[in-house]
Amino acid sequence: MSDAFRTAPPQVPIGRIPVQDVRPVVDHGARPAKAVVGEEIEVGATVFREGHDAVNATVVLTDPDGVEHHHPMTCTNEGLNTWVARVTPDRTGWWSYRVEGWSDPYGTWEHDATIKVAADVDTELMLEEGALVLERALDEVERTAEQEQVLVAAVTTLRDTARADLVRLKAGTDAAVEIELGARPLRDMVSPSAEHALLVERERALYGAWYELFPRSEGATYDEQEHRWRTGTLRTAAKRLPAIAAMGFDVVYLTPVHPIGQAAKKGPNNTLDARPEDPGSPYAIGSPDGGHDAIHPDLGTFADFDAFVAETERLGMEVAMDLALQCSPDHPWVESHPEWFTTRADGTIAYAENPPKKYQDIYPLNFDNDPAGIYAEVRRVVQVWIDHGVKIFRVDNPHTKPVEFWQWLIADVAEDHPDVVWLAEAFTKPAMMHTLAKVGFQQSYTYYAWRNTAAELREYLVELSGEAADYMRPSFWPTTHDILTPYMQFGGPAAWKVRSALAATLVPTYGIYAGYELMEHVARPGAEEQIDNEKYEFKDRRWADYEPGGAKEGQSLAGWLTRLNEIRREHPALHRLRNIAFHHVDDENFLAFSKRRTLPDGTHDVVLVVANLDPHSTRATTLRLDLPAMGFQPGDSIEAHDLVTDQVWTWQRDVYVRLGPEVEPCHVVSVRRPW
């Protein structure tokens, strides 16, 4: 092109067939979109051209070996030139994709010939042009002999003047010809978009049920004679694993197992008057016994930790470890690397604060004084735990550390350990939460605990399952060791049932903090956290009391959680995030949504959830089903199998529902055709 035709200032060439607005694209292509193995991804673009000739588009998906896979796109809105295709990567690794726009000579001929031959305008010319287009397709596109025969037969008939004109035309526009050229098209003026990165990870990055526990509490007992606690250990905590596995959990998340500092140690309920026998917060990491690369001697040894990991794996689960990059005043780093902390004007090291909360027992790291030193040391620490079988890290307060540090750390670990998964415990501003996900965190805590109305949940899920799903995977927790909302404090059993059911079905990953089964709902006055918080003391939940024959048999939600996890495993639709659709309910206290997934055999798995969000009242209302959203026609009847109660109904579009504490607070329904 001569300088006379160049634009000023310089622009990126648009291509002969313009391809615009390719999606998914994260941060204008600076970050990869994400998927897991077997997850269907919708790729879209705006593709058009001048004039009236037919245009078409293809997604080219390139696998980690550099092999290209072509997927035809469909125009879903001709007025807006919107093209989409669904692609499914089948293994982990770095993939890429691009959209190619192209002129479609067969589509142009088919459109024009259909009109002209029917009107007997240039009939012979149009039929010959069709034969020439098909001959080009035979010459220029590689095909098997069987595939070629479809086009050869069409060319022969198009030129057979002994046949009627419409018969000849029909040969060139036959469905078999369209299918063959759809699979192996003749493409002119191919114009590719830029390549966009797609990181494909293992399914646990998207789907899993987590169970959190404090190892020191599992097996802890109170000695009435000595008036003191005897700590649990990694060995006694391992005895709890079969019960967790029996409830169907996939991940056992351990709060920090490291030595705990004695300086400024916190007592019960975060007080400063700790007794020598109080255990302190496990988040105040570090003592003369070691730091982040050590195990608290009360919990055991690395051999005990290895045994815990091995037992977890034997039961079909994984261990997630808390990575809390903060130190007690007794941490070895305080003496060996004082430059890694912030020194105040009076010469003291600044402790952590989250006003009005103060954490005098914790020194935050300052990543700006010696970033190279801190980066290298944290990487070494992470490797210690990877070498002992940890593949998942739940990162405490990642939003208080530089984002560029996490980008480097996660990428560096992935070089040798691409199956490691990182969960961000980032209750902070959306920009930070989203950016942490963009730079590498596979999962993120969310504001689910505080979204309690139907309107709030719908709005939140639209956000999380929309563009954000290209890079951020939410994890829903009804409670944590730091969170006990008023809804959970005062909602009673119905609240605890419905919040766990919604967490387990709205998104693919959810988590339960130990004691949820027992509905531990009493808060510390003035705070949204449990009284006698387990962060600062031992807790013996006396699990045996809730088992058959125990003093509190029938008072646990263990059976409820077990059923929820069974439902999740039995229904692949619940393993995905982007496939949610909402349904109208006349009562605003109800939330109704469905998830639909096409299975490899071509069948569809459809799950419908209807929940009464008012935990205090049993309510009756009418559900208005969006049948097409579930793959049915507007007038169809459906079979609804309640997976909790095992009841089966035949439903039409409008359904009477009655839910609440007098019955069950929600329906979790498998939907299918009644024949």
Side-chain angles (χ1 to χ4, degrees), residues 457-467 580 582:
L457 287 167
R458 279 194 301 270
E459 180 182 30
Y460 201 31
L461 265 296
V462 167
E463 172 194 335
L464 294 174
S465 64
E467 290 185 8
I580 193 167
F582 290 96

Side-chain angles (χ1 to χ4, degrees), residues 148-422:
E148 287 181 348
Q149 186 56 41
V150 173
L151 303 188
V152 169
V155 170
T156 301
T157 303
L158 280 166
R159 287 179 170 150
D160 186 353
T161 57
R163 295 174 180 257
D165 294 341
L166 290 178
V167 172
R168 296 164 66 190
L169 174 66
K170 179 63 173 62
T173 60
D174 187 74
V177 174
E178 292 179 340
I179 291 171
E180 174 58 27
L181 290 179
R184 283 160 290 277
L186 175 63
R187 306 192 306 160
D188 287 346
M189 305 177 191
V190 177
S191 304
S193 73
E195 292 281 346
H196 298 286
L198 176 66
L199 176 58
V200 180
E201 299 168 305
R202 65 188 181 108
E203 190 176 40
R204 185 66 68 233
L206 173 65
Y207 166 75
W210 290 44
Y211 189 93
E212 175 191 357
L213 60 82
F214 284 69
R216 70 189 186 192
S217 286
E218 301 303 329
T221 56
Y222 186 73
D223 191 313
E224 298 287 353
Q225 293 184 341
E226 296 185 11
H227 301 290
R228 63 179 299 155
W229 283 91
R230 297 186 186 278
T231 182
T233 67
L234 288 165
R235 293 285 181 176
T236 60
K239 296 179 180 178
R240 176 70 181 148
L241 292 175
I244 297 170
M247 286 188 286
F249 287 95
D250 306 298
V251 177
V252 179
Y253 151 44
L254 302 179
T255 54
V257 298
H258 315 300
I260 297 171
Q262 297 299 302
K265 183 176 70 172
K266 292 299 185 73
N269 292 307
N270 200 26
T271 60
L272 286 170
D273 53 350
R275 300 164 298 178
E277 63 267 26
D278 288 329
S281 169
Y283 291 90
I285 296 169
S287 80
D289 293 311
H292 287 76
D293 57 354
I295 293 175
H296 196 302
D298 287 352
L299 292 177
T301 65
F302 270 104
D304 299 322
F305 185 86
D306 293 343
F308 184 94
V309 172
E311 177 66 359
T312 305
E313 292 177 348
R314 186 187 72 81
L315 294 167
M317 301 183 293
E318 297 186 53
V319 170
M321 186 169 181
D322 215 319
L323 182 64
L325 295 182
Q326 57 208 28
C327 303
S328 85
D330 298 332
H331 197 291
W333 291 345
V334 176
E335 181 177 349
S336 62
H337 291 283
E339 71 277 11
W340 290 358
F341 304 91
T342 299
T343 302
R344 305 176 69 180
D346 61 0
T348 62
I349 293 178
Y351 57 75
E353 295 185 74
N354 184 14
K357 294 181 179 180
K358 293 187 176 184
Y359 302 96
Q360 296 90 339
D361 56 339
I362 291 174
Y363 287 169
L365 290 170
N366 184 327
F367 283 75
D368 295 327
N369 293 342
D370 177 22
I374 293 178
Y375 281 32
E377 177 64 358
V378 174
R379 179 65 181 87
R380 183 191 69 81
V381 165
V382 168
Q383 189 63 47
V384 168
W385 299 105
I386 292 174
D387 291 343
H388 284 276
V390 175
K391 296 181 180 179
I392 305 175
F393 292 93
R394 178 267 196 193
V395 178
D396 192 64
N397 288 328
H399 54 289
T400 61
K401 288 82 178 172
V403 173
E404 66 176 3
F405 162 72
W406 294 119
Q407 184 180 35
W408 171 83
L409 178 65
I410 294 172
D412 195 73
V413 169
E415 284 290 326
D416 297 318
H417 307 282
D419 55 346
V420 169
V421 173
W422 304 80

Side-chain angles (χ1 to χ4, degrees), residues 633-655:
Q633 296 300 314
D636 283 352
S637 296
I638 60 172
E639 179 186 276
H641 175 202
D642 192 308
L643 301 169
V644 174
T645 65
D646 206 32
Q647 294 175 280
V648 179
W649 309 281
T650 299
W651 285 353
Q652 281 78 40
R653 189 197 69 168
D654 297 339
V655 184

